[in-house]
Amino acid sequence: MADRLFDNLLADAKEFFREKFGCEPTVFAAAPGRVNLIGEHTDYNGGYVFPMAIERYTIIAATPTDSDKTTIWTKDCGNKMVPTVAGDFTLSADVAPKDSPDWASYVQGTISCCLRKGATLKSGFNAAIVSNVPLGGGLSSSASLEVSVATLIEELSGHKFEGSEKPLLCVDAEHEYAKMPCGIMDQFISALGQKDCAMLLDCKSEKPEMVPMSDPTVSVLITNSNVKHELTGSEYPERRAACKAVAEALGRKLLREVSMDELLASKDKILAMKNGEIVGETLFKRARHAVGEDVRTLKMKDALVAGDWATVGEQMYASHESLRDDYEVSCKEIDELVEIARSIGPDGGVIGSRITGGGFGGCTVTLVRTDKADEIAKKIAQEYKARVGKDATIFVTRPAQGARVL
Ligand code: GLA
């Protein structure tokens, strides 16, 4: 099933390229989206995250040209809202970012950041991009676009980025050109994910540890609430600023360096703070989430390795509650999805469920018993429709391979 999806997407990329350029593409690069199992809004605090790559990809088909001109077409196969558009790109390390970023900003930003990091291109190229990573679903469609472009540039230039270089330059592109102050999780997992493994990433040392996740009796169910999440607004930078303010008030650079005991002991001090419009009580809640989430992430990773599914489930629900109540990045539709999964419970095959990604809509991630996965998906879809009046889109995925040249 996963292979068929991938092959269809690749065939679509080739067809799209031929249609737009009238010749055959010769170079192909792919990068996946991701789902985060736990460790939400911890990456920019230097904490731990635990994502895995999913069997949904962005694929680029390309051919070098003999001119300086670079033209790239894009369309999104699963999302009719994305128009089919072309852009012309400049092969220079210092192109000025646009005031209002669009899809082309991610591409131009990645090209420029690759060139800054030492890649050189002898000529321009033509390319066609297709993707089946849902847009606005909190599954890192942007990171998969950046990482696929960077992987293409590696192949076209013959310059291979080492280790964390590629994900980090993609983060630079997102900060500077897409103007989104994201953490490092999405680009790391899209670039370095491995089949049948989740990744425990220490976002302070920036060192990933691959954690085998190959138990065939457990499956990962992704449920899209179809409430579009938008992280380009003020909410994400505000959360980030709140965490930074609390860390600094406690004499640290990152909340990762603050323990729960220390945070609780400093409660009065934090309650007396104000950061812009954000009052002390809110600052305390934001920090309590970030500090607690690190503890939950490490616990869940150990429990997952040990096959202790009851503990895995507890951590997932606790993470969701913290994101809902303390971090306030959930929404009623997502809360319903988690509640529905929880009410099916372990006897019905549900191990745990939570919101995944940046929040304000998007998807939930639910760990389920493989033999019950179809039944659970049906129940969730029916109940969601009944409670919320919307259709959920549900799919099962295994931990997938990260970026690669095809
Ligand atoms: C978005 C960002 C990530 C991370 C998550 C929340 O996906 O791009 O860096 O902060 O939100 O965990």
Side-chain angles (χ1 to χ4, degrees), residues 43-44 106 142-143 146 167 170-176 178-187 231 236-237 240:
D43 56 354
Y44 49 81
Y106 294 88
S142 346
E146 293 150 7
C170 291
V171 172
D172 288 347
E174 182 141 351
H175 286 185
E176 198 177 324
K179 300 188 196 290
M180 155 63 180
C182 62
I184 64 172
M185 165 168 70
D186 308 345
Q187 292 78 3
L231 286 183
Y236 188 93
R240 206 178 160 145

mmCIF file of all heavy atoms in Angstrom, residues 43-44 106 142-143 146 167 170-176 178-187 231 236-237 240:
data_model
loop_
_atom_site.group_PDB
_atom_site.id
_atom_site.type_symbol
_atom_site.label_atom_id
_atom_site.label_comp_id
_atom_site.label_asym_id
_atom_site.label_seq_id
_atom_site.Cartn_x
_atom_site.Cartn_y
_atom_site.Cartn_z
ATOM 1 N N ASP A 43 10.925 21.604 21.188
ATOM 2 C CA ASP A 43 12.174 21.693 20.406
ATOM 3 C C ASP A 43 12.844 23.061 20.567
ATOM 4 O O ASP A 43 14.048 23.149 20.788
ATOM 5 C CB ASP A 43 11.998 21.280 18.933
ATOM 6 C CG ASP A 43 10.952 22.028 18.138
ATOM 7 O OD1 ASP A 43 10.221 22.855 18.728
ATOM 8 O OD2 ASP A 43 10.868 21.791 16.911
ATOM 9 N N TYR A 44 12.041 24.129 20.509
ATOM 10 C CA TYR A 44 12.658 25.464 20.636
ATOM 11 C C TYR A 44 13.030 25.794 22.089
ATOM 12 O O TYR A 44 13.609 26.838 22.359
ATOM 13 C CB TYR A 44 11.763 26.559 20.023
ATOM 14 C CG TYR A 44 10.321 26.518 20.468
ATOM 15 C CD1 TYR A 44 9.922 27.056 21.684
ATOM 16 C CD2 TYR A 44 9.351 25.943 19.660
ATOM 17 C CE1 TYR A 44 8.609 27.028 22.091
ATOM 18 C CE2 TYR A 44 8.021 25.906 20.053
ATOM 19 C CZ TYR A 44 7.655 26.449 21.261
ATOM 20 O OH TYR A 44 6.350 26.415 21.659
ATOM 21 N N TYR A 106 9.719 29.080 0.465
ATOM 22 C CA TYR A 106 10.363 27.891 1.043
ATOM 23 C C TYR A 106 11.419 27.352 0.084
ATOM 24 O O TYR A 106 12.493 26.910 0.486
ATOM 25 C CB TYR A 106 9.324 26.795 1.304
ATOM 26 C CG TYR A 106 8.324 27.158 2.376
ATOM 27 C CD1 TYR A 106 7.151 27.855 2.076
ATOM 28 C CD2 TYR A 106 8.543 26.802 3.699
ATOM 29 C CE1 TYR A 106 6.232 28.184 3.061
ATOM 30 C CE2 TYR A 106 7.627 27.119 4.697
ATOM 31 C CZ TYR A 106 6.473 27.817 4.362
ATOM 32 O OH TYR A 106 5.580 28.147 5.341
ATOM 33 N N SER A 142 5.718 21.711 5.034
ATOM 34 C CA SER A 142 6.773 22.686 4.693
ATOM 35 C C SER A 142 8.162 22.085 4.833
ATOM 36 O O SER A 142 9.017 22.277 3.972
ATOM 37 C CB SER A 142 6.733 23.954 5.546
ATOM 38 O OG SER A 142 5.566 24.104 6.243
ATOM 39 N N ALA A 143 8.394 21.341 5.921
ATOM 40 C CA ALA A 143 9.724 20.739 6.089
ATOM 41 C C ALA A 143 9.989 19.747 4.964
ATOM 42 O O ALA A 143 11.100 19.667 4.446
ATOM 43 C CB ALA A 143 9.832 20.059 7.446
ATOM 44 N N GLU A 146 11.081 21.766 1.984
ATOM 45 C CA GLU A 146 12.468 22.280 2.126
ATOM 46 C C GLU A 146 13.496 21.162 1.970
ATOM 47 O O GLU A 146 14.476 21.302 1.232
ATOM 48 C CB GLU A 146 12.655 22.903 3.522
ATOM 49 C CG GLU A 146 11.851 24.154 3.766
ATOM 50 C CD GLU A 146 11.462 24.349 5.237
ATOM 51 O OE1 GLU A 146 11.924 23.567 6.106
ATOM 52 O OE2 GLU A 146 10.674 25.262 5.508
ATOM 53 N N PRO A 167 19.315 19.434 7.691
ATOM 54 C CA PRO A 167 18.145 19.932 8.410
ATOM 55 C C PRO A 167 18.330 21.357 8.945
ATOM 56 O O PRO A 167 17.397 22.170 8.883
ATOM 57 C CB PRO A 167 17.965 18.936 9.563
ATOM 58 C CG PRO A 167 19.134 18.030 9.544
ATOM 59 C CD PRO A 167 19.758 18.108 8.191
ATOM 60 N N CYS A 170 17.794 23.977 6.351
ATOM 61 C CA CYS A 170 16.358 24.096 6.039
ATOM 62 C C CYS A 170 15.635 24.909 7.119
ATOM 63 O O CYS A 170 14.705 25.668 6.828
ATOM 64 C CB CYS A 170 15.721 22.714 5.903
ATOM 65 S SG CYS A 170 16.286 21.817 4.443
ATOM 66 N N VAL A 171 16.061 24.749 8.364
ATOM 67 C CA VAL A 171 15.486 25.565 9.451
ATOM 68 C C VAL A 171 15.815 27.045 9.190
ATOM 69 O O VAL A 171 14.949 27.920 9.322
ATOM 70 C CB VAL A 171 16.042 25.120 10.831
ATOM 71 C CG1 VAL A 171 15.611 26.084 11.928
ATOM 72 C CG2 VAL A 171 15.586 23.702 11.168
ATOM 73 N N ASP A 172 17.046 27.315 8.783
ATOM 74 C CA ASP A 172 17.427 28.709 8.457
ATOM 75 C C ASP A 172 16.504 29.258 7.373
ATOM 76 O O ASP A 172 16.035 30.398 7.453
ATOM 77 C CB ASP A 172 18.868 28.774 7.918
ATOM 78 C CG ASP A 172 19.896 28.535 9.018
ATOM 79 O OD1 ASP A 172 19.517 28.575 10.205
ATOM 80 O OD2 ASP A 172 21.075 28.286 8.688
ATOM 81 N N ALA A 173 16.251 28.430 6.347
ATOM 82 C CA ALA A 173 15.389 28.878 5.238
ATOM 83 C C ALA A 173 14.003 29.212 5.761
ATOM 84 O O ALA A 173 13.400 30.229 5.396
ATOM 85 C CB ALA A 173 15.302 27.791 4.173
ATOM 86 N N GLU A 174 13.483 28.358 6.646
ATOM 87 C CA GLU A 174 12.126 28.597 7.160
ATOM 88 C C GLU A 174 12.067 29.868 8.012
ATOM 89 O O GLU A 174 11.136 30.659 7.908
ATOM 90 C CB GLU A 174 11.632 27.373 7.934
ATOM 91 C CG GLU A 174 10.214 27.570 8.433
ATOM 92 C CD GLU A 174 9.319 26.343 8.367
ATOM 93 O OE1 GLU A 174 9.705 25.318 7.777
ATOM 94 O OE2 GLU A 174 8.216 26.433 8.920
ATOM 95 N N HIS A 175 13.091 30.068 8.844
ATOM 96 C CA HIS A 175 13.112 31.280 9.681
ATOM 97 C C HIS A 175 13.191 32.533 8.810
ATOM 98 O O HIS A 175 12.422 33.472 8.976
ATOM 99 C CB HIS A 175 14.328 31.263 10.606
ATOM 100 C CG HIS A 175 14.195 30.291 11.741
ATOM 101 N ND1 HIS A 175 15.128 30.194 12.736
ATOM 102 C CD2 HIS A 175 13.258 29.370 12.040
ATOM 103 C CE1 HIS A 175 14.770 29.256 13.606
ATOM 104 N NE2 HIS A 175 13.645 28.741 13.195
ATOM 105 N N GLU A 176 14.148 32.507 7.889
ATOM 106 C CA GLU A 176 14.461 33.734 7.159
ATOM 107 C C GLU A 176 13.491 34.014 5.999
ATOM 108 O O GLU A 176 13.075 35.146 5.796
ATOM 109 C CB GLU A 176 15.887 33.588 6.622
ATOM 110 C CG GLU A 176 16.520 34.886 6.213
ATOM 111 C CD GLU A 176 17.959 34.647 5.754
ATOM 112 O OE1 GLU A 176 18.659 33.783 6.329
ATOM 113 O OE2 GLU A 176 18.358 35.325 4.795
ATOM 114 N N ALA A 178 10.498 31.979 5.122
ATOM 115 C CA ALA A 178 9.066 31.758 5.372
ATOM 116 C C ALA A 178 8.626 32.534 6.611
ATOM 117 O O ALA A 178 7.439 32.589 6.926
ATOM 118 C CB ALA A 178 8.795 30.273 5.545
ATOM 119 N N LYS A 179 9.578 33.116 7.305
ATOM 120 C CA LYS A 179 9.339 33.948 8.494
ATOM 121 C C LYS A 179 8.570 33.202 9.588
ATOM 122 O O LYS A 179 7.704 33.750 10.264
ATOM 123 C CB LYS A 179 8.621 35.236 8.109
ATOM 124 C CG LYS A 179 9.413 36.081 7.118
ATOM 125 C CD LYS A 179 8.748 37.429 6.918
ATOM 126 C CE LYS A 179 9.247 38.153 5.691
ATOM 127 N NZ LYS A 179 10.583 38.656 5.749
ATOM 128 N N MET A 180 8.869 31.926 9.712
ATOM 129 C CA MET A 180 8.231 31.110 10.745
ATOM 130 C C MET A 180 9.337 30.653 11.708
ATOM 131 O O MET A 180 10.260 29.937 11.307
ATOM 132 C CB MET A 180 7.529 29.937 10.046
ATOM 133 C CG MET A 180 7.321 28.698 10.888
ATOM 134 S SD MET A 180 6.250 28.977 12.302
ATOM 135 C CE MET A 180 6.256 27.325 13.021
ATOM 136 N N PRO A 181 9.274 31.081 12.975
ATOM 137 C CA PRO A 181 10.372 30.789 13.912
ATOM 138 C C PRO A 181 10.291 29.383 14.501
ATOM 139 O O PRO A 181 10.245 29.207 15.719
ATOM 140 C CB PRO A 181 10.176 31.855 14.994
ATOM 141 C CG PRO A 181 8.701 32.096 15.002
ATOM 142 C CD PRO A 181 8.216 31.900 13.581
ATOM 143 N N CYS A 182 10.256 28.372 13.616
ATOM 144 C CA CYS A 182 10.072 26.977 14.047
ATOM 145 C C CYS A 182 11.283 26.470 14.821
ATOM 146 O O CYS A 182 12.354 27.071 14.786
ATOM 147 C CB CYS A 182 9.840 26.098 12.821
ATOM 148 S SG CYS A 182 11.243 26.095 11.693
ATOM 149 N N GLY A 183 11.107 25.320 15.469
ATOM 150 C CA GLY A 183 12.228 24.618 16.083
ATOM 151 C C GLY A 183 12.887 23.714 15.034
ATOM 152 O O GLY A 183 12.653 23.887 13.837
ATOM 153 N N ILE A 184 13.643 22.710 15.505
ATOM 154 C CA ILE A 184 14.419 21.915 14.539
ATOM 155 C C ILE A 184 13.821 20.535 14.244
ATOM 156 O O ILE A 184 14.332 19.809 13.396
ATOM 157 C CB ILE A 184 15.873 21.725 15.038
ATOM 158 C CG1 ILE A 184 15.907 20.902 16.340
ATOM 159 C CG2 ILE A 184 16.560 23.067 15.231
ATOM 160 C CD1 ILE A 184 17.311 20.507 16.784
ATOM 161 N N MET A 185 12.734 20.186 14.955
ATOM 162 C CA MET A 185 12.217 18.807 14.856
ATOM 163 C C MET A 185 11.873 18.374 13.436
ATOM 164 O O MET A 185 12.312 17.310 12.979
ATOM 165 C CB MET A 185 10.960 18.685 15.734
ATOM 166 C CG MET A 185 10.134 17.447 15.431
ATOM 167 S SD MET A 185 8.873 17.122 16.641
ATOM 168 C CE MET A 185 7.715 18.442 16.355
ATOM 169 N N ASP A 186 11.054 19.174 12.746
ATOM 170 C CA ASP A 186 10.455 18.715 11.488
ATOM 171 C C ASP A 186 11.522 18.444 10.431
ATOM 172 O O ASP A 186 11.484 17.436 9.722
ATOM 173 C CB ASP A 186 9.465 19.766 10.951
ATOM 174 C CG ASP A 186 8.443 20.173 11.999
ATOM 175 O OD1 ASP A 186 8.316 19.454 13.013
ATOM 176 O OD2 ASP A 186 7.774 21.213 11.812
ATOM 177 N N GLN A 187 12.485 19.337 10.339
ATOM 178 C CA GLN A 187 13.523 19.196 9.315
ATOM 179 C C GLN A 187 14.453 18.022 9.652
ATOM 180 O O GLN A 187 14.908 17.320 8.755
ATOM 181 C CB GLN A 187 14.308 20.508 9.192
ATOM 182 C CG GLN A 187 13.500 21.664 8.621
ATOM 183 C CD GLN A 187 12.550 22.331 9.610
ATOM 184 O OE1 GLN A 187 12.501 21.972 10.793
ATOM 185 N NE2 GLN A 187 11.802 23.308 9.146
ATOM 186 N N LEU A 231 0.275 28.227 11.255
ATOM 187 C CA LEU A 231 1.237 28.605 12.291
ATOM 188 C C LEU A 231 1.916 29.925 11.978
ATOM 189 O O LEU A 231 2.838 30.335 12.655
ATOM 190 C CB LEU A 231 2.293 27.511 12.441
ATOM 191 C CG LEU A 231 1.830 26.234 13.137
ATOM 192 C CD1 LEU A 231 2.978 25.271 13.284
ATOM 193 C CD2 LEU A 231 1.224 26.533 14.488
ATOM 194 N N TYR A 236 2.271 31.043 17.618
ATOM 195 C CA TYR A 236 3.496 30.243 17.777
ATOM 196 C C TYR A 236 4.645 31.101 18.322
ATOM 197 O O TYR A 236 5.254 30.744 19.346
ATOM 198 C CB TYR A 236 3.843 29.577 16.442
ATOM 199 C CG TYR A 236 4.977 28.580 16.513
ATOM 200 C CD1 TYR A 236 4.737 27.224 16.715
ATOM 201 C CD2 TYR A 236 6.298 28.998 16.375
ATOM 202 C CE1 TYR A 236 5.785 26.306 16.768
ATOM 203 C CE2 TYR A 236 7.347 28.083 16.425
ATOM 204 C CZ TYR A 236 7.082 26.742 16.622
ATOM 205 O OH TYR A 236 8.129 25.843 16.678
ATOM 206 N N PRO A 237 4.944 32.255 17.687
ATOM 207 C CA PRO A 237 6.014 33.099 18.238
ATOM 208 C C PRO A 237 5.724 33.551 19.666
ATOM 209 O O PRO A 237 6.646 33.674 20.485
ATOM 210 C CB PRO A 237 6.052 34.315 17.304
ATOM 211 C CG PRO A 237 5.268 33.950 16.109
ATOM 212 C CD PRO A 237 4.434 32.754 16.409
ATOM 213 N N ARG A 240 6.633 30.773 22.007
ATOM 214 C CA ARG A 240 8.099 30.687 22.057
ATOM 215 C C ARG A 240 8.667 31.786 22.967
ATOM 216 O O ARG A 240 9.545 31.539 23.799
ATOM 217 C CB ARG A 240 8.636 30.830 20.615
ATOM 218 C CG ARG A 240 9.939 30.181 20.432
ATOM 219 C CD ARG A 240 10.508 30.242 19.045
ATOM 220 N NE ARG A 240 11.937 30.002 19.249
ATOM 221 C CZ ARG A 240 12.737 29.347 18.453
ATOM 222 N NH1 ARG A 240 12.311 28.871 17.332
ATOM 223 N NH2 ARG A 240 14.010 29.173 18.752
#
